[in-house]
Amino acid sequence: MKDSMYLAWRYLCHHRAKTLLLVLSLSVFLGLPLIMRAMSRATQRSLLDRAEATPLLLGKKGSSLDLVVEALYFQLKGAEAITEADVDAIQATGLALGIPIRTGLMARGFPLVGTSLDYFRFRNLRIAEGRGLAMMGECVLGTEAAKTLGLGPGDALLTSPSTLFDLAGVYSLKLNVVGVLQPSYGPDDEAVFVDVRTAWVAEGKGHGHQDLAGAGPDLVLKRKAGTVTANAKLLQYNEINESNVDSFHFHGDPSGYPVSAVIAVPHDEKSGVLLRGRYVDAEARQLVRPARVVDSLNKQIFRFERILEIVVWTVGLATAVMFVLVMVLSWRLRAEELRTMTRLGCSRWKAAQIMGSEIVIMVGASIFIAGVFGIVMAQYGETWLQNLILRGA
Amino acid sequence: MISLRDVRFEYPHGGFSLDVTELTVASGTRAAAIGPSGSGKTTLLNLISGIERPGSGEVSTAGVRVDQLSPAARRSFRITTVGFVFQEFLLLEYLDVFDNILYPYRLHPELGLEASVRSRARRLASDLGLASLFDRRPSELSQGERQRVAIARALVTEPGLILADEPTGNLDPATKQQALDLLFEQCEARSTTLLMVTHDHGLLDQFTQIVDVEALGPTEA
């Protein structure tokens, strides 16, 4: 057997390109269906885990899937906003705790999530480095965001401007990083958390500037009925710190300020049922159970996965046929070699053993490659597939 | 060493037959098989080595009744007792010179590819002027060098009989004589019987026995 393996190995090494092509084709044939299935199952489980950990979600009436995807997984789907008043309304029922979620902006590629301190307790997110949010203008980074950006407590992070080419638009806000979260192996790892009021400032709903009370005519254009109109020389702050935090303010009624969704955490099961009852007939609001929404998404994924499996198996079958064809043609081309073997006195069994060894080596190499690929995909593929599904949802 | 008596061989689909009333080649002889194309020279070699089995008659090689052996036993007999040198060399491109020489050992594990065999193969290759070519592929060799590798492959198992089917047919005159000298020298050194098919009548005075295949018995085309 050793000699057969040796001859097979030398033959395969000599025909590197053909061998590599066959091995890679076989790797795909063997690995893809298994990897796809394993990744899909893991992804569905992980999606469902987070959804099941979120009892109720309040948002604007419309696509419940968009609402869940945006509020739970921080994938921007453009779900319409509700207002801070809805958070108060939930609290006012006495049935549940309302946690605001404001998404929409990014900070160097990571979603900026405006929320309250209750969110960290609710998700059981712990600080690994630094401290939690204490004042406006501060941010806490998810572990992956911190690692990728190379930031930690004491560093600064700019929000991405939403209107890059509009000079009159909202400018980036410089956030002070005060903490990094422990890994939670979910979307929180890739988010930048700020207080919801900081998110509003970043959106341009609130701002801070130099005091106009004692300002002279070089800065003030007019004063009328408590309204002061300043010229362009007025210094606007793009960072909130201890010295200027008092100058930051919001015009209008803060209860009308936008939040993307409200996580409602009922005090008990009965409270949850009662709360759901209150929103059954709500005209412009929906209170959804994320687990149900994700379950329905998973069913869709499962259906798609079945179709994909058929496609993959068909491709696999074609690959197998191609493999057999290449081997048969290769043996035909080697007819003279086989004749020489016979004339020298090689047994048929030995000749078959040599040819079989070639298949064994190639299949072995393919299983190895598929295995390595599978391990790599198990490590990194779940997040990739989850993002792919959520972006496509 | 080689003995054929009342042999009749016919290919299954007809068209050619070979009859040998009697042929004897003594041990250690340097014999040449001659005859026109289609006279059955290669078939004679095939019968002697057990590649083909006669319809009737006796074929005895190295004291073994080859015609009575099973196909598997004939293959085993062939690889242990007979060395082949082909006109087309039939070397394997995916093996280097050294592995080509040791090829019979890879095909028949019972031969035992031991360290002593490797050193013997190295010695043999050196004797044939191949020492510096061990790592080369057949395509990197000249025709004469390829034929020397083929001769080394035939001799490496130390067979009692070498069957050479027009081994110089593809070589130029100078290389041809060189290859023959080496083959004769090696066979003589090992007291190996040599039966060589040739069309080149100019070489015949170098052989101790001439076998005219046409004269062995009535042949018909």
Side-chain angles (χ1 to χ4, degrees):
Chain A
M1 194 63 201
K2 199 177 76 182
D3 295 308
S4 305
M5 290 298 269
Y6 179 79
L7 289 174
W9 175 248
R10 296 303 297 266
Y11 178 82
L12 295 175
C13 287
H14 187 70
H15 297 90
R16 284 186 206 94
K18 185 187 87 177
T19 305
L20 195 67
L21 185 74
L22 286 174
V23 166
L24 289 179
S25 307
L26 271 183
S27 303
V28 172
F29 167 53
L30 294 171
L32 205 56
L34 300 175
I35 292 166
M36 282 302 295
R37 183 174 293 186
M39 268 172 57
S40 170
R41 293 284 181 277
T43 303
Q44 287 178 37
R45 188 62 250 165
S46 130
L47 286 174
L48 199 59
D49 282 350
R50 189 164 174 89
E52 280 172 346
T54 312
L56 293 168
L57 193 64
L58 180 68
K60 189 106 173 182
K61 214 154 206 172
S63 164
S64 56
L65 184 56
D66 281 2
L67 176 68
V68 169
V69 167
E70 184 149 344
L72 264 63
Y73 307 103
F74 313 137
Q75 300 281 339
L76 304 185
K77 304 300 292 183
E80 283 192 69
I82 52 176
T83 64
E84 178 68 7
D86 289 293
V87 183
D88 298 337
I90 294 269
Q91 300 277 34
T93 60
L95 298 170
L97 170 70
I99 304 171
I101 297 288
R102 181 56 180 158
T103 56
L105 283 186
M106 306 287 282
R108 289 178 60 188
F110 291 92
L112 188 76
V113 180
T115 186
S116 65
L117 292 177
D118 290 327
Y119 182 83
F120 299 94
R121 280 189 288 271
F122 167 65
R123 289 275 186 230
N124 201 24
L125 298 174
R126 293 173 198 283
I127 296 289
E129 214 181 321
R131 59 170 174 82
L133 299 173
M135 63 174 274
M136 274 170 63
E138 292 178 342
C139 72
V140 168
L141 304 180
T143 181
E144 277 302 316
K147 202 193 291 175
T148 310
L149 297 172
L151 297 177
D155 294 325
L157 173 65
L158 283 174
T159 62
S160 306
S162 56
T163 50
L164 188 61
F165 299 107
D166 181 5
L167 294 178
V170 179
Y171 290 92
S172 295
L173 180 68
K174 189 176 172 186
L175 301 169
N176 300 311
V177 180
V178 294
V180 176
L181 296 172
Q182 285 179 1
S184 60
Y185 308 102
D188 296 322
D189 287 347
E190 298 189 1
V192 176
F193 292 99
V194 293
D195 179 77
V196 70
R197 288 173 306 154
T198 307
W200 290 334
V201 172
E203 285 179 43
K205 302 269 183 307
H207 62 172
H209 49 73
Q210 69 182 103
D211 189 13
L212 286 170
D218 59 324
L219 201 60
V220 176
L221 292 174
K222 60 178 179 181
R223 293 177 191 271
K224 191 179 171 188
T227 305
V228 182
T229 308
N231 62 27
K233 275 175 73 182
L234 178 73
L235 179 64
Q236 299 258 6
Y237 301 123
N238 72 338
E239 177 186 6
I240 307 171
N241 53 41
E242 280 177 14
S243 63
N244 68 16
V245 65
D246 292 335
S247 78
F248 276 83
H249 54 277
F250 301 92
H251 295 281
D253 180 8
S255 67
Y257 278 29
V259 293
S260 305
V262 183
I263 294 173
V265 189
H267 301 310
D268 50 44
E269 201 175 328
K270 185 181 167 190
S271 303
V273 175
L274 289 172
L275 190 63
R276 273 166 42 217
R278 299 225 179 153
Y279 282 90
V280 165
D281 294 325
E283 276 183 23
R285 302 285 182 268
Q286 59 176 335
L287 188 68
V288 299
R289 280 187 282 181
R292 285 203 168 182
V293 176
V294 170
D295 193 44
S296 130
L297 171 67
N298 279 348
K299 279 179 185 151
Q300 296 289 338
I301 295 169
F302 185 72
R303 256 182 239 134
F304 178 71
E305 189 190 306
R306 300 298 307 169
I307 296 167
L308 196 69
E309 263 185 20
I310 292 169
V311 173
V312 167
W313 281 113
T314 310
V315 172
L317 193 68
T319 309
V321 170
M322 186 201 76
F323 181 80
V324 171
L325 192 69
V326 169
M327 292 310 288
V328 168
L329 286 175
S330 162
W331 291 334
R332 279 196 171 193
L333 284 172
R334 295 168 71 186
E336 190 165 271
E337 184 188 335
L338 292 172
R339 230 180 356 258
T340 307
M341 278 183 186
T342 312
R343 287 170 80 177
L344 291 177
C346 175
S347 66
R348 282 183 196 148
W349 165 240
K350 186 72 185 174
Q353 218 179 52
I354 293 168
M355 301 299 177
S357 298
E358 288 172 14
I359 295 175
V360 167
I361 291 172
M362 281 193 282
V363 171
S366 305
I367 291 171
F368 177 76
I369 291 174
V372 169
F373 189 59
I375 291 168
V376 171
M377 289 307 281
Q379 196 84 12
Y380 303 106
E382 190 189 316
T383 316
W384 172 80
L385 188 63
Q386 189 169 310
N387 287 340
L388 190 77
I389 289 167
L390 293 175
R391 279 189 195 122
Chain B
M1 179 63 190
I2 301 171
S3 166
L4 284 83
R5 193 180 303 278
D6 300 324
V7 168
R8 177 160 181 83
F9 173 79
E10 218 168 335
Y11 279 105
H13 305 296
F16 177 83
S17 65
L18 175 69
D19 290 278
V20 182
T21 311
E22 184 157 12
L23 168 66
T24 307
V25 178
S27 189
T29 305
R30 189 192 298 172
I34 58 165
S37 295
S39 58
K41 300 185 294 293
T42 302
T43 306
L44 178 67
L45 298 192
N46 288 348
L47 286 168
I48 292 168
S49 62
I51 292 174
E52 302 289 359
R53 197 177 186 182
S56 61
E58 294 173 15
V59 178
S60 174
T61 306
V64 176
R65 279 287 298 276
V66 181
D67 58 288
Q68 290 179 340
L69 297 176
S70 68
R74 276 187 280 139
R75 280 193 290 268
S76 182
F77 163 79
R78 199 153 62 237
I79 206 158
T80 51
T81 317
V82 184
F84 284 94
V85 185
F86 306 106
Q87 181 180 0
E88 319 82 25
F89 320 131
L90 300 180
L91 302 176
L92 299 177
E93 186 53 34
Y94 60 86
L95 297 178
D96 59 24
V97 164
F98 194 58
D99 276 333
N100 260 295
I101 293 172
L102 291 173
Y103 190 51
Y105 284 90
R106 302 279 184 198
L107 296 182
H108 198 77
E110 283 76 21
L111 286 173
L113 181 51
E114 290 151 11
S116 60
V117 173
R118 288 175 191 276
S119 55
R120 189 171 71 227
R122 274 195 200 95
R123 257 198 323 274
L124 177 63
S126 294
D127 291 347
L128 291 167
L130 298 168
S132 59
L133 308 173
F134 276 176
D135 300 330
R136 301 264 186 94
R137 305 274 163 184
S139 60
E140 297 167 334
L141 303 176
S142 69
Q143 294 284 82
E145 287 166 340
R146 284 183 212 177
Q147 191 56 290
R148 275 186 273 155
V149 176
I151 291 169
R153 183 179 67 189
L155 289 165
V156 74
T157 55
E158 298 190 310
L161 171 66
I162 293 283
L163 297 176
D165 194 352
E166 297 194 56
T168 56
N170 283 337
L171 303 179
D172 60 74
T175 319
K176 183 189 294 183
Q177 193 52 53
Q178 250 180 3
L180 271 183
D181 288 345
L182 283 171
L183 185 59
F184 292 160
E185 194 183 300
Q186 294 299 325
C187 284
E188 218 160 81
R190 292 168 173 75
S191 305
T192 307
T193 309
L194 170 69
L195 177 57
M196 182 176 122
V197 167
T198 182
H199 276 115
D200 191 344
H201 286 235
L203 302 173
L204 294 183
D205 57 353
Q206 300 180 57
F207 291 88
T208 51
Q209 184 180 347
I210 311 296
V211 178
D212 185 353
V213 178
E214 267 195 318
L216 289 174
T219 56
E220 33 183 276

